């Protein structure tokens, strides 16, 4: 029996009285055939662990949709379900109840019906709230039920972001205290005073960092603007403004971050680097902090949030399909040679390398890395960090590592001929070498190595394979909807297939919801291009053929280009044409 059949759609909305024999949400969803016993058992464990409702846990796990949860609540309470984000609500109705009341009691007025006010409530059994609505409006309400997720999304759309408003409240509180003590220069206070957990400033900075972790931000940008500081989070590769910090808080705000990162609080003319380690919900996070002097003797701050190594994913969750995983396994199981990962900054190269190293990390290998900096500490790896001041560079570290009897070497980046020469030498002497390099495609990487000064025959002998990658945002699973592809989209997706361009094609997009911050996207996955250096490719390299000729030979041998992989992910409903075009540009229409 479906939820649509069990929902009391024809019953008039009314305040629900407590029912001792009321069914649990899990049971209702099981009866409707939407979840299995295993789904329910796993969700119960997760909901107890995270202290959240079972319905929310099932939605976040992708087992049910928000609307299916709402229909289940309708069955549970015996009243109508209101999807408040699909209802056009007149602003005059919202004015009937104070905003503080709407936020505090989780109730939304949605319409009037026969002289009565229809409201949607997260907890429709709360008789006191119903009585308060009657007292405030003079109307006895008709009650419907809505979900917690839809309520939060509604507030974010119509009343301002709930979490950001909490940060703004903290700013307002601290700003008022600053006005009372404006003559105090906090830059001269001792570290202990700026580390007091009861200090409102400490609470504010901690709240911003914790909010960044919660929103899965990779970076927190704190940027000076006229008469304020702007706080922005980079989420899924896109910067999003979170809140403004008033100018009267500027000195203390910047100083607090410098104290946490153990920087010189009196130095404003030179860039500084620092690190912060914090614990959030039982997990340790490392933060990399950099300050940069900008105009008017002010400073811009970027905080990179480094997630713990236990969050390293498997290849499938990174976006590799089965064929790509097979090719990648062929590469990293090589006994020796160079394997390069290429792509622009922020394309996930280091994450891919960490995942590979984690896969081959065992007791029979000596795996050594040299990085700038060490982003994740992984047990079993011997990780070192370059130090140019001590003349410990990528090139010099490679020479040192070869005296450490390594089986596998990972060098953070090949930036110059000296490092490249050391990597080639290590590969030719029987070591497996991983590294990254800045180039756009796999075949262009080979050209780049030759331009850096390496001999073609040595590259052909040492190079095992090249992986090029980009990151695209995934469509949010909670607001994902289908639509018919436009002509221009089909032209981009099927440049060599006239039949597909003339037929009806179904694609997907995100409408925007609270869980994806109304962006339509949630999370990222990679698009990949894997070039395996076989006999034919090796001969082309030795004969100094162009990168286009090498690419054509690789495609003929079965390589999927970035464009091919991106188009496949659009057709599979993982991402959108706009997103792949944003990342690859005109290359989407290429091979």
């Amino acid at each position: 029996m479906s939820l649509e059949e069990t929902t009391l759609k024809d019953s008039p909305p009314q305040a629900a009285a407590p029912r001792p024999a009321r069914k649990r949400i899990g049971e209702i969803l099981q009866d409707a055939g939407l979840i299995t016993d295993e789904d329910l058992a796993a969700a119960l464990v997760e909901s107890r662990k995270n202290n959240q409702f079972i319905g929310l846990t099932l939605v976040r796990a992708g087992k049910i949709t928000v609307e299916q949860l709402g229909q289940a609540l309708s069955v549970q309470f015996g009243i109508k379900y209101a999807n408040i984000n699909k209802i056009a609500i007149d602003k005059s109705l919202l004015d009937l109840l104070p905003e503080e009341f709407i936020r505090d009691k989780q109730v939304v007025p949605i319409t009037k019906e026969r002289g009565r006010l229809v409201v949607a409530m997260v907890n429709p059994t709360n008789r006191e709230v119903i009585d308060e609505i009657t007292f405030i409006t003079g109307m006895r309400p008709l009650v419907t039920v809505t979900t917690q997720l839809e309520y939060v999304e509604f507030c974010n759309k119509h009343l301002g972001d709930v979490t950001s408003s909490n940060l703004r409240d903290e700013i307002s509180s601290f700003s008022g205290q600053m006005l009372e003590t404006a003559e105090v220069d906090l830059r001269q206070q001792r570290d202990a005073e700026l580390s007091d957990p009861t200090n409102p400033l400490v609470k504010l900075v901690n709240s911003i960092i914790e909010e960044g972790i919660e929103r899965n931000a990779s970076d927190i940008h704190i940027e000076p603007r006229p008469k304020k500081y702007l706080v922005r989070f980079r989420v899924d590769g896109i910067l999003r403004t979170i809140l403004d910090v008033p100018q009267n808080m500027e000195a203390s705000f910047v100083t607090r971050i410098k104290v946490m990162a153990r920087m010189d609080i009196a130095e404003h003319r030179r860039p500084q680097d620092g690190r912060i380690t914090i614990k959030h919900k039982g997990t340790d996070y490392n933060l990399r902090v950099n300050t940069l002097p900008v105009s008017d003797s002010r400073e811009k701050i970027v905080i990179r949030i480094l997630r713990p190594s236990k969050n390293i994913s498997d290849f499938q969750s990174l976006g590799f399909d089965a064929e790509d995983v097979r090719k990648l396994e062929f590469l990293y199981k090589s006994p020796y040679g160079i394997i390069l990962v290429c792509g622009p900054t922020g394309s996930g190269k280091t994450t891919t390398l960490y995942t590979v190293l984690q896969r081959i990390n065992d007791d029979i290998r000596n795996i050594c890395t040299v990085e700038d900096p060490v982003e994740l500490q992984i047990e079993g790896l011997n990780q070192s960090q370059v130090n140019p001041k001590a003349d410990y560079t990528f090139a010099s570290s490679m020479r040192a590592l070869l005296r450490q009897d390594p089986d596998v070497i990972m060098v953070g980046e090949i930036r110059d001929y000296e490092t490249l020469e050391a990597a080639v030498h290590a590969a030719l002497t029987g070591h497996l070498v991983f590294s990254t390099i800045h180039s756009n495609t796999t075949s262009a990487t080979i050209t780049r190595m030759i331009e850096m000064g390496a001999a073609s025959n040595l590259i052909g002998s040492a190079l095992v394979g090249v992986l090029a990658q980009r990151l695209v945002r995934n469509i949010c699973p909670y607001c994902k909807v289908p639509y018919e592809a436009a002509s221009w989209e089909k032209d981009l997706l099927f440049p060599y297939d006239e039949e597909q361009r003339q037929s009806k094609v179904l694609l997907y997009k995100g409408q925007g919801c609270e869980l994806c911050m109304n962006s339509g996207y949630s999370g990222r996955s990679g698009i990949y291009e894997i070039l395996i250096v076989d006999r034919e490719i090796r001969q082309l390299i030795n004969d100094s053929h162009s990168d286009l000729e090498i690419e054509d030979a690789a495609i003929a041998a079965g390589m999927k280009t970035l464009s091919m992989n991106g188009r496949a992910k659009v057709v599979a409903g993982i991402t959108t044409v706009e997103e792949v075009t944003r990342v690859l540009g005109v290359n989407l229409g290429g091979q």
Side-chain angles (χ1 to χ4, degrees), residues 498-516:
E498 179 64 27
E499 184 179 346
Q500 280 279 35
R501 293 201 300 272
Q502 298 302 323
S503 63
K504 180 179 178 180
V505 177
L506 202 63
L507 299 179
Y508 295 86
K509 62 181 179 181
Q511 289 183 313
C513 64
E514 181 269 335
L515 290 174
C516 63

Side-chain angles (χ1 to χ4, degrees), residues 198-427:
T198 63
N199 187 328
L201 175 63
V202 173
K203 292 181 180 179
L204 170 62
V205 174
N206 289 347
S207 296
I208 290 173
I209 293 172
E210 289 168 1
E211 183 75 9
I213 293 172
E214 287 290 329
R215 296 199 183 198
N216 204 30
S218 61
D219 301 88
I220 300 174
H221 287 240
I222 301 165
E223 306 172 355
R225 294 287 191 271
K227 298 184 179 180
K228 64 182 179 183
Y229 255 80
L230 195 67
V231 178
R232 300 197 290 174
F233 291 167
R234 187 177 292 280
V235 180
D236 295 337
I238 304 296
L239 280 170
R240 300 172 183 175
T241 300
I242 301 301
L243 75 159
D244 300 336
V245 178
Q247 191 172 24
N248 69 300
M249 295 176 58
E250 177 179 330
S252 55
F253 187 74
V254 172
T255 300
R256 168 57 187 163
I257 296 174
K258 284 185 171 183
V259 167
M260 293 176 70
R262 300 187 180 278
M263 295 177 176
D264 183 353
I265 64 174
E267 178 58 71
H268 307 284
R269 298 168 299 174
R270 294 183 301 175
Q272 294 189 69
D273 291 298
R275 297 183 77 91
I276 302 171
T277 300
I278 68 167
K279 185 181 287 291
H280 179 64
K281 293 186 175 179
T283 301
D284 289 324
Y285 292 86
N286 290 316
L287 311 179
R288 203 169 69 212
V289 185
N290 175 264
T291 65
L292 179 71
V294 291
S295 59
D296 300 326
S297 299
R298 303 171 79 189
E299 292 174 281
K300 179 181 182 298
I301 300 174
V302 174
I303 303 173
R304 167 66 57 90
I305 301 175
L306 302 176
R307 311 274 163 176
S309 59
K310 68 181 180 181
N311 289 337
I312 293 178
S313 306
D314 56 27
F315 294 125
Q316 287 79 9
S317 61
L318 291 179
F320 288 92
D321 60 28
E323 183 182 352
D324 287 338
V325 172
R326 180 183 60 80
K327 290 180 178 179
L328 195 56
E329 287 177 345
F330 173 81
L331 293 179
Y332 69 68
K333 287 180 179 179
S334 300
Y336 54 84
I338 299 176
I339 299 170
L340 295 177
V341 181
C342 69
T345 301
S347 59
K349 300 186 296 296
T350 302
T351 300
T352 298
L353 283 180
Y354 276 137
T355 305
V356 170
L357 293 178
Q358 189 81 297
R359 183 62 62 92
I360 63 176
N361 185 10
D362 54 40
D363 291 336
I364 66 172
R365 290 185 179 93
N366 175 19
I367 303 175
C368 300
T369 78
V370 55
E371 307 169 55
D372 183 22
V374 175
E375 294 195 7
L376 293 177
Q377 293 284 353
I378 301 178
E379 186 176 354
L381 270 58
N382 302 295
Q383 298 172 268
S384 61
Q385 181 169 323
V386 298
N387 184 357
K389 293 180 179 179
D391 196 29
Y392 187 62
T393 63
F394 281 128
S396 62
S397 66
M398 285 290 292
R399 291 191 292 269
L401 287 181
L402 289 175
R403 295 190 288 272
Q404 286 286 316
D405 185 30
D407 297 294
V408 179
I409 298 171
M410 193 274 272
V411 56
E413 183 182 348
I414 293 179
R415 299 174 178 172
D416 50 42
Y417 170 71
E418 195 178 3
T419 308
L420 176 58
E421 182 187 36
V424 170
H425 174 71

Side-chain angles (χ1 to χ4, degrees), residues 20-307:
R22 183 181 293 131
K23 269 192 173 184
R24 297 179 181 272
I25 285 293
E27 295 173 352
I28 295 170
L29 293 169
Q30 279 185 306
D31 292 345
L34 295 174
I35 61 172
T36 64
D37 291 342
E38 292 77 13
D39 294 335
L40 181 59
L44 284 169
V45 172
E46 188 68 19
S47 63
R48 288 170 185 151
K49 177 182 175 183
N50 296 326
N51 193 29
Q52 65 184 16
F53 292 118
I54 184 75
L56 176 60
T57 301
L58 288 165
V59 170
R60 292 191 184 278
K63 300 299 181 182
I64 60 172
T65 66
V66 176
E67 288 199 8
Q68 287 169 336
L69 174 60
Q71 291 163 357
L73 291 170
S74 173
V75 174
Q76 184 182 47
F77 293 112
I79 58 178
K80 280 187 177 180
Y81 156 60
N83 187 335
I84 55 178
N85 293 303
K86 291 186 177 179
I87 301 173
I89 300 177
D90 194 319
K91 188 179 183 304
S92 62
L93 289 172
L94 296 179
D95 294 336
L96 293 175
L97 295 174
E99 180 178 328
E100 185 179 351
F101 182 86
I102 293 174
R103 287 189 184 278
D104 185 45
K105 308 300 183 182
Q106 297 185 317
V107 57
V108 177
I110 54 178
T111 188
K112 286 184 180 178
E113 189 175 301
R114 298 189 296 275
R116 298 182 68 180
L117 182 66
V118 181
V119 298
M121 296 177 64
V122 174
N123 179 14
T125 62
N126 194 327
R127 306 290 305 189
E128 292 182 4
V129 173
I130 295 171
D131 292 339
E132 287 183 70
I133 295 171
T134 304
F135 178 78
I136 294 171
T137 65
M139 293 179 280
R140 187 66 179 173
L142 296 171
V143 179
T144 63
V145 66
T146 192
T147 67
Q148 176 80 29
L149 291 168
E150 290 165 306
Y151 164 77
V152 173
E153 182 180 352
F154 174 87
C155 288
N156 289 346
K157 282 182 178 178
H158 298 277
L159 305 178
D161 188 286
V162 175
T163 51
S164 292
S165 67
N166 292 337
L167 291 177
R168 292 189 187 99
D169 289 344
E170 292 189 37
I171 286 177
S172 177
S173 171
F174 182 70
S175 183
Q177 295 184 36
M178 284 293 295
L179 289 173
E180 295 174 7
T181 60
E183 69 280 0
V184 178
D185 187 358
L186 287 178
R187 286 173 295 182
Q188 304 302 318
Q189 293 190 15
R190 297 188 308 274
D191 288 5
E193 293 175 316
L194 284 173
S195 301
D196 182 1
T198 63
N199 187 328
L201 175 63
V202 173
K203 292 181 180 179
L204 170 62
V205 174
N206 289 347
S207 296
I208 290 173
I209 293 172
E210 289 168 1
E211 183 75 9
I213 293 172
E214 287 290 329
R215 296 199 183 198
N216 204 30
S218 61
D219 301 88
I220 300 174
H221 287 240
I222 301 165
E223 306 172 355
R225 294 287 191 271
K227 298 184 179 180
K228 64 182 179 183
Y229 255 80
L230 195 67
V231 178
R232 300 197 290 174
F233 291 167
R234 187 177 292 280
V235 180
D236 295 337
I238 304 296
L239 280 170
R240 300 172 183 175
T241 300
I242 301 301
L243 75 159
D244 300 336
V245 178
Q247 191 172 24
N248 69 300
M249 295 176 58
E250 177 179 330
S252 55
F253 187 74
V254 172
T255 300
R256 168 57 187 163
I257 296 174
K258 284 185 171 183
V259 167
M260 293 176 70
R262 300 187 180 278
M263 295 177 176
D264 183 353
I265 64 174
E267 178 58 71
H268 307 284
R269 298 168 299 174
R270 294 183 301 175
Q272 294 189 69
D273 291 298
R275 297 183 77 91
I276 302 171
T277 300
I278 68 167
K279 185 181 287 291
H280 179 64
K281 293 186 175 179
T283 301
D284 289 324
Y285 292 86
N286 290 316
L287 311 179
R288 203 169 69 212
V289 185
N290 175 264
T291 65
L292 179 71
V294 291
S295 59
D296 300 326
S297 299
R298 303 171 79 189
E299 292 174 281
K300 179 181 182 298
I301 300 174
V302 174
I303 303 173
R304 167 66 57 90
I305 301 175
L306 302 176
R307 311 274 163 176

Side-chain angles (χ1 to χ4, degrees), residues 438-476:
H438 282 288
S439 57
N440 290 326
T441 64
T442 54
S443 57
T445 298
I446 297 170
T447 305
R448 170 77 174 138
M449 295 170 73
I450 295 173
E451 289 175 349
M452 291 173 70
S456 298
N457 62 321
L458 293 181
I459 295 174
S461 299
L463 192 62
V464 176
V466 185
L467 166 67
Q469 69 177 73
R470 304 289 189 275
L471 290 178
V472 294
R473 291 180 292 169
N474 297 332
I475 300 170
C476 175

